[in-house]
């Protein structure tokens, strides 16, 4: 059964691989190799950030407020990328009599069905194991949705295909006078100072009496970090890219050159990136560096070499964005 699980894993069928391991463990519950393999497969199918996201109280409250403001009793809600089904259940609690929730990961979709049944909402919420691009009005979706809610953004905002998803769903699946959550978003950047937390993962420096500087050549130039309580910004924030999800027209590649002006003295190691999402009028979510404890970490794009800056110093940054890609570099 363990060998069979390995074969299914190599073929990309994680569900059958997990089933094979579980069958093996029925026969031999104490088999450490099977237990380890099952743990690996589960972490592969459901990354740990899922549970961290579910426990992000600020994120949850923002989405709950937006859903409560927009849902009306006769509304048909489409929840794209439902995950645990939380936003679908918020929609039901807000008064919707019919919610269609889609989730393309089979294992997560099955878990969402169980959660919704455990909370006695299965008469109102239908979970479909599907990508939203495969949903058809009149089939999986009874009619066009009055509200589409989706939280498929990454720490870069665009990393999980949110632009293509909203472009498609708005054109095919949303009623003419319908709403979307989130309504819009901004990608922001600022110059960031060196700190002990950043140095710990980016600067090998000296180890005892040995010069380890050359190891920097192997380091990644992009760091994804929890900067809560530890971010010193050396410039004002700037919005680089903006999106209106209800009126999105295309997902074409964009490039911008931004002049960032230092406002204080410091050792600038690069730029930090975050996002601000407008869920609906008056309800915002922003993972501001250093200020918000968020399951979405901040991204730091390191310069080749740190720069000592003083007020008024200017650093030019090239920003590149594609449908599911974001990058920044010093010019």
């Amino acid at each position: 059964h363990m060998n069979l699980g390995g074969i299914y894993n190599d073929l990309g069928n994680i569900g059958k691989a997990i089933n094979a391991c579980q069958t093996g463990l029925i026969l031999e519950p104490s088999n450490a190799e099977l237990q380890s393999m099952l743990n690996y497969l589960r972490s592969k199918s459901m990354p740990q950030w899922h549970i961290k996201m579910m426990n992000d109280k600020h994120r949850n409250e923002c989405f709950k407020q937006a859903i409560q403001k927009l849902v009306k009793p006769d509304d048909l809600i489409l929840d794209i990328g439902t995950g645990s089904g939380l936003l679908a259940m918020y929609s039901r609690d807000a008064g919707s009599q019919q919610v269609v929730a889609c989730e393309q990961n089979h294992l997560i979709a099955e878990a969402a069905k169980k959660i919704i049944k455990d909370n006695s909402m299965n008469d109102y919420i239908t979970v479909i194991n599907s990508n939203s691009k495969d949903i058809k009005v009149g089939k999986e979706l009874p009619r066009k949705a009055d509200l589409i809610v989706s939280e498929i953004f990454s720490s870069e905002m665009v990393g999980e295909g949110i632009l293509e998803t909203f472009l498609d769903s708005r054109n095919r699946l949303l009623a003419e006078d319908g709403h979307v959550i989130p309504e819009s978003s901004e990608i922001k950047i600022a110059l960031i100072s060196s700190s002990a937390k950043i140095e710990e993962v980016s600067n090998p420096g000296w180890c005892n009496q040995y010069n380890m500087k050359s190891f920097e050549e192997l380091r990644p130039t992009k760091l994804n970090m929890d900067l809560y309580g530890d971010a010193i910004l050396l410039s004002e924030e700037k919005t680089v890219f903006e999106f209106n999800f209800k009126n999105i027209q295309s997902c074409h590649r964009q490039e911008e050159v931004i002049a960032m002006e230092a406002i204080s003295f410091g050792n600038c190691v690069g730029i930090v990136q975050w996002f601000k999402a407008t869920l609906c009028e008056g309800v915002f979510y922003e993972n501001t560096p250093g200020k918000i404890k968020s399951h979405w970490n901040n991204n730091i794009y390191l310069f080749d070499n740190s720069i000592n800056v003083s007020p008024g110093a200017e650093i030019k940054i090239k920003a590149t964005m594609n449908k599911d890609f974001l990058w920044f570099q010093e010019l």
Side-chain angles (χ1 to χ4, degrees):
H1 286 293
M2 187 167 71
N3 290 339
L4 185 61
I7 291 169
Y8 278 129
N9 178 48
D10 291 341
L11 292 172
N13 194 326
I14 304 300
K16 286 190 175 181
I18 287 176
N19 288 340
C21 289
Q22 290 173 330
T23 302
L25 285 169
I26 292 172
L27 300 172
E28 192 176 331
S30 62
N31 187 298
E33 286 80 7
L34 271 170
Q35 291 173 347
S36 176
M37 185 174 182
L38 180 60
N39 178 73
Y40 163 74
L41 291 168
R42 283 175 169 167
S43 64
K44 189 174 178 180
S45 66
M46 195 204 76
Q48 291 184 2
W49 56 259
H50 273 280
I51 293 177
K52 188 177 180 183
M53 177 178 66
M54 290 164 59
N55 288 323
D56 188 335
K57 294 180 181 179
H58 178 51
R59 168 256 187 191
N60 295 345
E61 186 59 31
C62 288
F63 272 94
K64 185 177 181 180
Q65 287 180 26
I67 289 169
Q68 287 175 337
K69 288 186 72 169
L70 292 180
V71 169
K72 298 186 290 293
D74 294 333
D75 282 353
L76 170 61
I77 313 301
L78 174 60
D79 176 14
I80 296 177
T82 194
S84 65
L86 181 63
L87 303 188
M89 291 189 289
Y90 282 163
S91 300
R92 167 58 192 150
D93 280 340
S96 174
Q97 299 296 307
Q98 189 172 19
V99 182
V100 175
C102 68
E103 172 57 57
Q104 66 179 355
N105 183 309
H106 173 73
L107 296 173
I108 294 177
E110 291 303 307
K113 290 177 184 178
K114 292 177 183 177
I115 290 170
I116 287 163
K117 186 176 181 180
D118 290 344
N119 288 277
S120 304
M121 294 189 180
N122 46 307
D123 289 339
Y124 304 94
I125 302 172
T126 302
V127 178
I128 300 170
N129 178 204
S130 173
N131 187 298
S132 64
K133 295 174 186 175
D134 298 322
I135 288 178
K136 293 179 175 60
V137 175
K139 191 176 178 183
E140 294 87 358
L141 197 64
R143 58 181 173 83
K144 289 192 174 183
D146 301 292
L147 171 66
I148 292 176
V149 57
S150 183
E151 191 272 82
I152 56 170
F153 32 91
S154 61
S155 57
E156 298 92 345
M157 174 54 64
V158 296
E160 294 185 19
I162 191 170
L163 299 182
E164 283 191 320
T165 296
F166 270 105
L167 180 61
D168 172 74
S169 61
R170 185 217 56 185
N171 288 337
R172 297 192 307 109
L173 307 176
L174 183 66
E176 188 174 343
D177 58 348
H179 298 278
V180 297
I181 296 175
E183 292 183 349
S184 62
S185 184
E186 307 168 46
I187 294 176
K188 297 184 176 186
I189 63 171
L191 300 177
I192 189 167
S193 171
S194 176
S195 69
K197 185 181 285 189
I198 296 172
E199 290 290 310
E200 185 179 27
V201 295
S202 67
N203 183 9
W206 288 80
C207 182
N208 293 47
Q209 74 271 29
Y210 306 113
N211 185 345
M212 312 297 287
K213 191 73 174 173
S214 292
F215 209 75
E216 278 189 17
E217 297 172 8
L218 302 178
R219 74 178 184 187
T221 53
K222 174 187 172 184
L223 307 174
N224 184 259
M225 296 186 64
D226 177 4
L227 294 175
Y228 181 61
D230 186 26
I232 302 171
L233 304 187
L234 297 173
S235 72
E236 300 288 352
E237 65 184 52
K238 283 196 176 183
T239 296
V240 187
F241 301 112
E242 297 181 75
F243 317 101
N244 183 327
F245 292 119
K246 186 176 179 181
N247 296 312
I248 187 170
Q249 300 298 318
S250 68
C251 305
H252 66 275
R253 177 187 172 96
Q254 298 181 52
E255 287 188 354
E256 300 286 345
V257 175
I258 307 102
M260 304 297 295
E261 183 178 318
I263 57 173
S264 59
F265 294 94
N267 181 29
C268 181
V269 293
I271 66 106
V272 60
Q273 172 263 316
W274 69 100
F275 66 82
K276 178 181 180 181
T278 300
L279 304 185
C280 69
E281 185 177 356
V283 181
F284 308 93
Y285 185 96
E286 183 170 5
N287 61 331
T288 312
K291 296 182 180 180
I292 298 294
K293 183 68 174 175
S294 172
H295 79 280
W296 285 294
N297 289 341
N298 298 122
N299 295 308
I300 297 174
Y301 293 81
L302 297 170
F303 296 156
D304 290 338
N305 297 290
S306 61
I307 302 170
N308 289 319
V309 298
S310 56
E314 185 177 274
I315 298 176
K316 289 187 177 179
I317 304 295
K318 179 183 176 183
T320 304
M321 187 201 69
N322 210 336
K323 58 186 179 182
D324 57 0
F325 169 84
L326 189 66
W327 197 258
F328 298 93
Q329 61 190 101
E330 176 199 2
L331 290 180

